[in-house]
Amino acid sequence: TGLVADAAVVGIPDPRAGSAVAIAVVAGDQQRPGPELAATLSQAVVAGHGTPFKPVRVLFVAELPKTRNMKTMRRLVRAALTGEKVGDLSALVNPEAFEALQVAAQQ
């Protein structure tokens, strides 16, 4: 199995750079979420895209919020990380995933 089962990358406001990268990650089956995996993922992003894209936050969750078509609702990931208004949740198939994401983002 891989390091990551699912992920959502979003831009969040950054006072220094204007915007920065944040990642919500569902760890792979054999992976233990934590600082070591976060560092490995950050290094992989830097290696692939360069230092300006180094994530300022890697957030581990059990699942990502999805639509009925199983598309990740990135706007909800961004809202959880920034405190923005959530908006319409009628297309959300797993509201418990968004609630858990909000709790994790506040830690």
Side-chain angles (χ1 to χ4, degrees):
T1 64
L3 295 177
V4 173
D6 199 1
V9 178
V10 296
I12 59 173
D14 183 77
R16 200 175 41 153
S19 65
V21 173
I23 306 173
V25 177
V26 177
D29 290 338
Q30 302 299 316
Q31 300 302 315
R32 183 180 181 129
E36 287 182 24
L37 182 56
T40 299
L41 297 174
S42 290
Q43 290 170 0
V45 171
V46 169
H49 299 288
T51 303
F53 294 96
K54 181 177 181 181
V56 295
R57 184 133 188 227
V58 178
L59 179 68
F60 292 101
V61 293
E63 64 180 327
L64 295 171
K66 303 276 186 175
T67 67
R68 290 182 209 122
N69 293 330
M70 299 312 291
K71 292 183 179 179
T72 300
M73 294 188 74
R74 286 179 177 78
R75 71 175 175 84
L76 295 183
V77 173
R78 185 178 306 103
L81 290 166
T82 63
E84 293 174 359
K85 290 186 179 181
V86 175
D88 183 19
L89 298 177
S90 62
L92 188 60
V93 73
N94 56 349
E96 68 283 350
F98 178 61
E99 292 168 10
L101 176 65
Q102 287 182 303
V103 169
Q106 293 175 359
Q107 295 178 350

